[in-house]
Amino acid sequence: MATLIDEINRRRTFAIISHPDAGKTTLTEKLLLFGGAIHVAGAVKSNKIKKTATSDWMEIEKQRGISVATSVMGFNYGDYKINILDTPGHQDFAEDTYRTLTAVDSVIIVVDVAKGVEQQTRKLMEVCRMRNTPVIIFVNKLDREGRDPFEILDELEAELKISVRPLSWPINIGAKFKGVYNIYENSLDLFTPSKTQVTERVEIESVDDPRIDEAVGEKDAAKLREDLELIEGVYPEFDEKEYLAGKVAPVFFGSALNTFGVKELLDCFVKIAPAPRAVMAEEREVNPQEEPFSGFVFKIHANMDPNHRSCIAFVKVCSGKFERNANYKHVRSGKMMRFAAPTAFMAQKKSIVDEAYPGDIVGIPDTGNFKIGDTLSSGENLHYKGLPSFSPEMFKYIENTDPMKSKQLEKGIQQLMDEGVAQLFTNQFNGRKIIGTVGQLQFEVIQYRLLHEYGATVRWEPISLYKACWIESDDADALEAFKKRKHQFMAIDRDGRDVFLADSNYVLQMAQNDFPKIRFHFTSEF
Ligand code: G4P
């Protein structure tokens, strides 16, 4: 019988992240294909909300539905149990992605060979860096004209601020693309464009093997040898420990659409990527091997059906074995709870599970008990540290347009904020509520969901704000003086903490100069 430790060691829980259109969905699908979780290409629907969909409500609803189904994709690959956590492609939902990154043990970043590192990738990498998450990079679309691979490597290092180490190397790119040399395994894979077929492998002894010349021609073989020599000269040997510490990122090249280079990536990934590791709670470090169960909620997904106002809370198991119908403590409320219908996500299907292990994600049907970041445990008072809320980038006053529905509105706003859709601030001067988001689309989603799920109608009113920052001071008088001077711009967040609403960068800088005893924070955890 497999022990808890065996179960932990065979788990690989990760997310694929990229700038929209780099090929995240395509790569995910190909990984599922290898895992036997799907049998035909095209079975995974992209959950990205296309740019044109900003005002297409049905589209958003459809997309939300799809993203429930594809939130977690679990499958077995050889002896390994793989859990891919999906992240929204649209940048307006970046907060969702940040939170998902708190639940993964490693990350694969997809980069388009022609476009290189794009804005969204840079931001997501920052979050990985904050958490020392191990990262593997897949340079995609080698079948298209793109940039020189050495140039791409330099750009990855400079832009993502991480050392890189190629573990495979392309032979030409674009129309002349012939294949990749697998440095990790010393093998050669020849490129045959195909959406479903797997690579043709040439057995070789070493890089000097004449079979390489036969396969790709003398000229390209010579160039390959030259490139590999340069790589060995420039980049230190691949060191697994450095990768696990988040200090160096192995790089693979391929074409997700053509299923090329994907198996190599997957085979190396399962070998080197970390199994679930110890997690820091506020109280102490928790090891996955510990017998008592513990886990935390990293995502809450509202039900698609407005008649059933229930949600699914996604719990990442951090230690011990999770069991159906066992009694667990919801640490924030102190209540004991039992879950009769927890679900797991295997091969794109959601089904009730009896047990789950560290690294697994369990979906728990919820009627509003959970908040993002909540900890569940076998009894111990543990608080897992989540990711802080970042200061939002866009702000609007939210106004009720139907006084008969103010109760529903209250409830709706509360629930959506628990789900982490946006942040709420209450202006202390005029009592008005301000919603802060990272993207325009969230305002539209909130308005739509308030109407369809809570029957509340709202209107947005503009407010010109640069940043909301959390303030504190060791000097109570200084804090009072600041609040008095800035009383029109003071708000509180949902936890009752003081927030200063700066309407411009200049005003913020002046405030920082004039009030040296006040500390200004741009994330909610300090
Ligand atoms: P995303 O989830 O990162 O946003 O990207 P997605 O996989 O949806 O891929 C974006 C586009 O790039 C898709 O084309 C996809 O077919 C294409 N693509 C992905 N991998 C490769 C590759 O290796 N080579 C080439 N040439 N193209 C690739 P689309 O036209 O936007 O969508 P679709 O209609 O083909 O699905």
Side-chain angles (χ1 to χ4, degrees):
M1 240 203 49
T3 63
L4 177 60
I5 293 182
D6 295 336
E7 291 292 353
I8 295 167
N9 286 342
R10 74 185 196 94
R11 276 169 170 72
R12 300 286 182 272
T13 302
F14 73 107
I16 303 179
I17 54 179
S18 74
H19 192 85
D21 277 347
K24 178 171 74 74
T25 313
T26 313
L27 180 65
T28 306
E29 179 177 291
K30 296 305 159 84
L31 294 177
L32 293 177
L33 213 51
F34 282 117
I38 55 169
H39 300 286
V40 283
V44 179
K45 293 283 175 303
S46 162
N47 80 350
K48 67 186 164 186
I49 294 170
K50 302 259 191 246
K51 289 165 205 90
T52 50
T54 0
S55 53
D56 185 346
W57 308 121
M58 276 327 288
E59 191 58 19
I60 290 178
E61 280 304 275
K62 227 165 55 203
Q63 302 285 6
R64 286 207 305 124
I66 291 163
S67 72
V68 168
T70 60
S71 274
V72 183
M73 288 158 280
F75 61 92
N76 287 308
Y77 181 68
D79 293 334
Y80 297 96
K81 161 81 191 289
I82 294 178
N83 294 310
I84 306 180
L85 273 52
D86 195 22
T87 55
H90 199 290
Q91 61 177 16
D92 284 8
F93 293 97
E95 286 271 333
D96 267 10
T97 304
Y98 300 152
R99 279 192 293 260
T100 299
L101 293 182
T102 64
V104 301
D105 299 305
S106 70
V107 154
I108 294 179
I109 295 180
V110 185
V111 173
D112 181 324
V113 69
K115 296 192 181 138
V117 175
E118 295 169 271
Q119 186 210 1
Q120 188 74 356
T121 323
R122 224 173 279 131
K123 270 197 187 164
L124 293 168
M125 183 62 209
E126 264 168 49
V127 180
C128 294
R129 213 175 309 110
M130 272 165 72
R131 309 177 57 83
N132 299 321
T133 310
V135 163
I136 295 181
I137 300 171
F138 182 72
V139 180
N140 190 26
K141 307 197 187 181
L142 268 282
D143 59 314
R144 283 221 199 135
E145 298 307 323
R147 309 238 298 269
D148 176 67
F150 280 112
E151 199 187 305
I152 287 279
L153 291 179
D154 287 348
E155 182 174 314
L156 291 171
E157 283 203 329
E159 297 278 337
L160 299 180
K161 301 190 183 76
I162 187 165
S163 303
V164 297
R165 182 25 160 133
L167 288 187
S168 79
W169 196 251
I171 301 169
N172 290 328
I173 75 169
K176 289 198 231 122
F177 181 50
K178 290 191 177 158
V180 292
Y181 184 83
N182 189 332
I183 301 173
Y184 186 66
E185 289 182 351
N186 263 318
S187 59
L188 177 68
D189 290 326
L190 295 183
F191 176 60
T192 30
S194 163
K195 291 190 178 161
T196 48
Q197 235 182 24
V198 187
T199 325
E200 181 192 340
R201 176 156 289 199
V202 180
E203 293 302 329
I204 50 169
E205 301 281 328
S206 74
V207 68
D208 297 319
D209 199 315
R211 272 171 283 193
I212 300 180
D213 302 65
E214 280 164 34
V216 301
E218 268 172 39
K219 195 165 149 254
D220 286 332
K223 171 83 167 64
L224 171 69
R225 291 188 184 107
E226 201 179 294
D227 284 354
L228 291 176
E229 205 169 306
L230 190 58
I231 290 168
E232 299 309 321
V234 172
Y235 297 99
E237 276 285 293
F238 172 60
D239 180 345
E240 228 174 286
K241 277 203 225 74
E242 295 266 287
Y243 156 69
L244 291 174
K247 296 207 162 61
V248 63
V251 181
F252 287 83
F253 293 84
S255 165
L257 187 65
N258 292 294
T259 329
F260 191 82
V262 177
K263 187 159 189 303
E264 290 71 12
L265 172 75
L266 181 59
D267 286 338
C268 176
F269 169 81
V270 290
K271 274 195 214 129
I272 67 171
R277 299 192 277 186
V279 187
M280 271 314 279
E282 262 164 43
E283 293 77 7
R284 64 183 184 88
E285 193 175 74
V286 182
N287 266 307
Q289 297 92 327
E290 291 179 27
E291 201 93 331
F293 157 78
S294 67
F296 66 92
V297 177
F298 67 94
K299 173 181 179 126
I300 293 178
H301 216 300
N303 200 316
M304 281 273 291
D305 180 352
N307 299 322
H308 296 269
R309 204 186 292 132
S310 70
C311 316
I312 298 180
F314 290 79
V315 176
K316 158 99 188 261
V317 180
C318 296
S319 70
K321 180 159 100 173
F322 171 92
E323 287 175 293
R324 187 160 82 93
N325 279 325
N327 277 305
Y328 293 126
K329 185 173 188 172
H330 178 239
V331 177
R332 183 167 53 84
S333 67
K335 276 195 237 158
M336 294 306 282
M337 295 180 174
R338 272 177 52 171
F339 307 108
T343 50
F345 307 82
M346 276 300 275
Q348 292 203 289
K349 276 199 218 74
K350 213 167 84 194
S351 54
I352 292 192
V353 277
D354 291 321
E355 53 189 47
Y357 294 91
D360 284 341
I361 310 300
V362 186
I364 294 178
D366 173 43
T367 47
N369 289 312
F370 290 120
K371 251 188 178 171
I372 298 241
D374 281 356
T375 302
L376 287 174
S377 78
S378 291
E380 187 178 347
N381 280 326
L382 285 173
H383 296 83
Y384 282 111
K385 291 184 187 167
L387 200 70
S389 304
F390 296 95
S391 175
E393 284 158 29
M394 300 178 121
F395 302 88
K396 283 182 185 179
Y397 281 124
I398 183 164
E399 295 297 336
N400 186 5
T401 50
D402 182 356
M404 303 297 287
K405 294 282 170 65
S406 52
K407 262 217 175 104
Q408 285 87 331
L409 178 62
E410 269 312 300
K411 180 143 196 253
I413 293 180
Q414 196 179 331
Q415 184 96 43
L416 294 184
M417 299 305 128
D418 280 349
E419 271 181 46
V421 175
Q423 293 179 58
L424 173 72
F425 305 101
T426 310
N427 188 320
Q428 293 304 91
F429 176 65
N430 55 21
R432 292 175 80 180
K433 288 190 167 60
I434 298 164
I435 301 283
T437 70
V438 294
Q440 174 61 28
L441 193 52
Q442 268 133 311
F443 291 112
E444 306 181 24
V445 171
I446 291 169
Q447 191 170 29
Y448 180 81
R449 288 189 55 191
L450 285 172
L451 178 63
H452 287 257
E453 292 168 34
Y454 301 89
T457 48
V458 296
R459 174 179 81 232
W460 299 109
E461 283 194 14
I463 172 170
S464 157
L465 274 187
Y466 167 67
K467 261 202 165 69
C469 33
W470 287 265
I471 58 161
E472 56 159 8
S473 175
D474 300 326
D475 183 335
D477 291 341
L479 194 61
E480 268 325 294
F482 181 85
K483 282 158 72 170
K484 207 161 163 201
R485 171 92 86 84
K486 300 284 184 191
H487 69 287
Q488 281 179 310
F489 303 98
M490 288 308 300
I492 51 170
D493 72 3
R494 289 189 71 211
D495 299 320
R497 292 184 299 181
D498 290 320
V499 175
F500 170 52
L501 307 169
D503 52 8
S504 72
N505 190 15
Y506 175 75
V507 163
L508 179 59
Q509 276 178 4
M510 289 300 284
Q512 284 170 317
N513 284 340
D514 294 350
F515 294 89
K517 287 185 176 158
I518 306 283
R519 289 188 293 276
F520 297 77
H521 300 280
F522 300 99
T523 61
S524 65
E525 265 172 33
F526 37 83

